[in-house]
Amino acid sequence: MTPQKTDPATGDTAAPVSGATAAGAGAGRKPPRGGGPALPRLGVVGTLRWAWRQLTSMRVALMLLLLLAVAAVPGSIFPQRPSNPTAVTTYLQNNPVTGPWLDRFQFFDVYASVWFSAIYILLFISLIGCVVPRTIAHVKALRQPPPRTPRRLSRMPQYGTLVVPAESGVDAAEVTRRAQAVLKRRGYRVRLQDLEGDRPSAAAERGYLRETGNLIFHTALIGVLVSVAVGGLFGYRGQRTLVEGDSFVNTLVGYDSFNPGTNFADDHLDPFSIQLDKFDVTFDRESTSHYGQPIDFTAHLTTRQTPTSAPEKQTLKVNSPVALGGSNVYLVGNGYAPVVTVRDGQGKVAWSGPVVSNPTDAMYTSAFVLKVPDAKPQQLSFVGFFLPTAVAGADKVAFSGDPDPLLPQLNLNSFKGDLGLNNGVPTSVFALDTSKLTPVNARNLPAGGIVLDGSRRTQKLPNNLGSITFEGVKRYIAIDVRHDPATTGALVFSTAALLGLIGSLFVPRRRAWVRAGKAADGRVMVEYGLLARGEDHRLERARESLGRDLDAALVADGAQSGKNDAGGTTGDDRRTTGL
């Protein structure tokens, strides 16, 4: 006879297991270490199902969202090849050991890298896997009636009683119908039960918008991800410097720098054009502490939507872009462009026009660099600074005393020699490498430096290398052209996500029940209880408010009610209602 075993935890007697059965059940399995239970193997299908459940869990979705934010950090630390290839080349030259490894792992093109795209796609799949099943379950819940009334409402976290006097002349069924109307006014879905019986009741539930808001939030988050992806695929961004009187046509060759989307094509460019007619800057002339600071920038433009459309006068300001086609034009910078003419040693004009200078301080002291590769017999270059209002200091070094061009002056050094513009290596127009050039004009040379202003506009270079003439000053602006086809979608989905998040955080999910029964003396005894689906600190106030509404709706005019909600029972202080 096989002995029976008793479970020490539950006291249940286990069925006898024969040796053959035990051997068959354990066949093909390793005995677990430590005497634990033998777990079945998942297999391929089980492993895939487990991985899918992990991927579509909310915890993993939040982890992927955090990981995506962390993965975007290298894009702000290291130069990116699509936006600044010159900086990437310089970084690789300055870091011959770490640079190639970073390039191998795509740290110079983060947002198109394999690992960033993998995180993005996994987050996308995870959110879809979270939202779809929960949406299906939520739709089913909306179609189901509220749960039946529990037998003992006194066990609810919030509980109250009410007595309808016999003089009111209403029965339990009528009391339940009136309670139904009260619950509906409070936003509950109500289900009547046992109206023909002795103890009819109303079961109610509210707060479905909480889960609806949660689903809207996650669905909108998916929409934001899609919008960002669409913007990254089909959008573009370009920068251009415009001097007063210059025009810009929206073509690739018209940009100073251009950042295209992954799937960008030339025909995506809107065929608009812009001409800078005039640029006005208003400086503070009244304040003593902020004297000379700019307070307003206004660019007067003439734009055309298409080559055949009529010209239109528009005004461009900071934080007030001009919309052209599907693109927005932003004002991002400004400065002075001294107009100079350079003649070479043969007397021919090698350069004539404005030179964009880079402001270095609040008084618009601007760095000036000019490269003249067409000069003969030797290439020429100039470097120095432009002063809008030149003032001589105590050490006889000039500086700018005002941002307006009241006394404009150019202070330059000149060089001769090969500028290296024909070797295929990109260089900045705002920097000049003088290590391989021969100085011609400088303060420490016999020829001295070049100083051009209103009193002296032309200076000849020594050794008949040519001359430079200061013709005047123009202003320039730097514009940023952005085209993002997903801007509207991102705005709509972001707003929906915010509204959904508000709903999921502040809409309470509650259940309420009201039961009525007629006593032998003709009174109708009413009890009601509330239960929160989740954490709800306002449940007690909801019980008090419901009790007042029931008392007003159920108790007849002039009659004295019994124990109502305001003085009702909650917690451990339970009253016997006779129901």
Side-chain angles (χ1 to χ4, degrees):
M1 180 175 180
T2 305
Q4 295 181 344
K5 295 183 179 181
T6 303
D7 189 338
T10 62
D12 296 336
T13 302
V17 181
S18 64
T21 305
R29 299 182 191 166
K30 277 188 175 182
R33 294 182 179 179
L39 300 176
R41 295 179 179 177
L42 290 177
V44 177
V45 177
T47 303
L48 292 176
R49 184 182 294 113
W50 175 86
W52 173 254
R53 288 177 179 174
Q54 295 299 315
L55 179 61
T56 56
S57 65
M58 189 58 61
R59 178 181 58 187
V60 173
L62 293 175
M63 291 176 58
L64 288 172
L65 188 61
L66 177 61
L67 186 60
L68 186 69
V70 174
V73 172
S76 60
I77 297 177
F78 301 102
Q80 298 298 293
R81 185 170 281 112
S83 59
N84 197 346
T86 304
V88 174
T89 302
T90 304
Y91 188 93
L92 292 173
Q93 292 175 350
N94 297 335
N95 301 271
V97 178
T98 60
W101 281 101
L102 292 173
D103 196 17
R104 190 174 291 112
F105 288 104
Q106 300 177 298
F107 275 79
F108 300 121
D109 195 1
V110 169
Y111 306 111
S113 63
V114 175
W115 45 273
F116 188 87
S117 301
I119 298 173
Y120 197 92
I121 294 173
L122 285 175
L123 177 60
F124 191 77
I125 295 174
S126 178
L127 289 174
I128 294 178
C130 290
V131 170
V132 173
R134 292 179 63 175
T135 301
I136 296 174
H138 184 54
V139 172
K140 291 181 179 179
L142 290 175
R143 300 175 62 182
Q144 293 178 354
R148 293 185 61 85
T149 305
R151 290 185 178 180
R152 297 184 181 179
L153 286 180
S154 59
R155 293 183 176 180
M156 293 297 103
Q158 295 296 326
Y159 173 77
T161 61
L162 181 68
V163 177
V164 180
E167 292 81 5
S168 62
V170 295
D171 56 6
E174 178 62 24
V175 168
T176 305
R177 292 190 182 93
R178 293 184 183 182
Q180 176 191 22
V182 171
L183 291 170
K184 284 186 174 181
R185 286 197 301 269
R186 297 178 64 86
Y188 286 88
R189 289 196 311 149
V190 187
R191 171 189 181 186
L192 296 179
Q193 300 173 194
D194 304 326
L195 281 180
E196 305 299 330
D198 296 335
R199 300 174 65 189
S201 63
E205 189 171 12
R206 62 166 295 179
Y208 291 95
L209 286 178
R210 185 185 187 92
E211 180 65 11
T212 302
N214 199 0
L215 293 174
I216 290 175
F217 170 75
H218 290 91
T219 303
L221 188 58
I222 296 174
V224 171
L225 292 176
V226 172
S227 300
V228 172
V230 170
L233 289 173
F234 303 103
Y236 61 84
R237 180 177 178 178
Q239 294 76 36
R240 172 62 191 264
T241 300
L242 277 178
V243 181
E244 288 177 327
D246 285 356
S247 297
F248 162 69
V249 179
N250 191 30
T251 58
L252 283 179
V253 296
Y255 285 99
D256 297 330
S257 60
F258 190 76
N259 306 320
T262 306
N263 287 2
F264 171 79
D266 293 354
D267 55 0
H268 292 170
L269 292 173
D270 299 313
F272 63 82
S273 62
I274 301 173
Q275 177 179 320
L276 176 60
D277 300 325
K278 188 180 180 182
F279 181 64
D280 295 326
V281 182
T282 303
F283 297 100
D284 188 353
R285 300 301 183 187
E286 298 180 358
S287 173
T288 56
S289 59
H290 300 88
Y291 183 85
Q293 290 191 359
I295 58 177
D296 184 64
F297 303 94
T298 304
H300 304 278
L301 307 177
T302 299
T303 62
R304 294 177 184 266
Q305 297 284 351
T306 63
T308 58
S309 61
E312 182 180 358
K313 297 292 185 179
Q314 298 197 58
T315 300
L316 177 64
K317 287 179 172 290
V318 178
N319 298 326
S320 180
V322 171
L324 295 172
S327 304
N328 287 328
V329 180
Y330 297 87
L331 176 62
V332 296
N334 71 94
Y336 290 106
V339 182
V340 298
T341 299
V342 177
R343 297 181 182 273
D344 59 16
Q346 299 177 357
K348 297 180 179 179
V349 176
W351 169 271
S352 182
V355 179
V356 173
S357 56
N358 191 19
T360 59
D361 59 22
M363 293 294 108
Y364 278 74
T365 301
S366 305
F368 180 99
V369 175
L370 175 59
K371 303 174 185 179
V372 190
D374 297 331
K376 301 293 178 62
Q378 295 192 57
Q379 294 181 348
L380 299 175
S381 56
F382 302 86
V383 62
F385 51 89
F386 168 75
L387 305 176
T389 302
V391 178
D395 54 358
K396 297 184 180 180
V397 176
F399 64 92
S400 180
D402 195 277
D404 265 330
L406 304 178
L407 295 171
Q409 185 181 91
L410 273 174
N411 291 263
L412 306 175
N413 294 337
S414 65
F415 299 85
K416 66 179 180 178
D418 186 9
L419 296 173
L421 301 180
N422 299 323
N423 56 13
V425 179
T427 59
S428 174
V429 296
F430 297 108
L432 178 65
D433 183 7
T434 61
S435 59
K436 298 181 181 180
L437 301 177
T438 302
V440 177
N441 286 94
R443 286 191 174 186
N444 57 352
L445 296 179
I450 299 175
V451 180
L452 301 177
D453 52 24
S455 61
R456 184 182 182 184
R457 293 191 173 273
T458 302
Q459 180 165 337
K460 292 184 178 182
L461 305 180
N463 301 323
N464 294 323
L465 291 176
S467 64
I468 181 171
T469 302
F470 182 27
E471 307 284 357
V473 179
K474 291 186 177 182
R475 294 184 185 270
Y476 74 86
I477 62 172
I479 60 173
D480 188 19
V481 181
R482 302 180 189 178
H483 176 77
D484 190 351
T487 302
T488 303
L491 176 62
V492 171
F493 286 120
S494 299
T495 304
L498 179 61
L499 295 177
L501 183 61
I502 292 174
S504 65
L505 292 177
F506 297 104
V507 175
R509 183 78 183 273
R510 298 170 183 161
R511 287 177 178 174
W513 296 275
V514 179
R515 179 185 285 132
K518 198 163 187 177
D521 57 1
R523 295 181 301 168
V524 179
M525 316 300 292
V526 181
E527 61 175 348
Y528 53 92
L530 283 85
L531 175 67
R533 298 291 304 276
E535 189 175 358
D536 188 354
H537 301 288
R538 295 173 291 176
L539 189 63
E540 183 177 359
R541 284 182 290 175
R543 173 190 60 80
E544 296 172 354
S545 177
L546 176 62
R548 288 192 294 268
D549 291 348
L550 290 174
D551 183 70
L554 302 181
V555 179
D557 295 338
Q560 296 293 327
S561 66
K563 192 80 171 178
N564 61 16
D565 179 77
T569 59
T570 60
D572 296 331
D573 182 19
R574 307 296 186 184
R575 286 174 51 90
T576 303
T577 62
L579 297 182

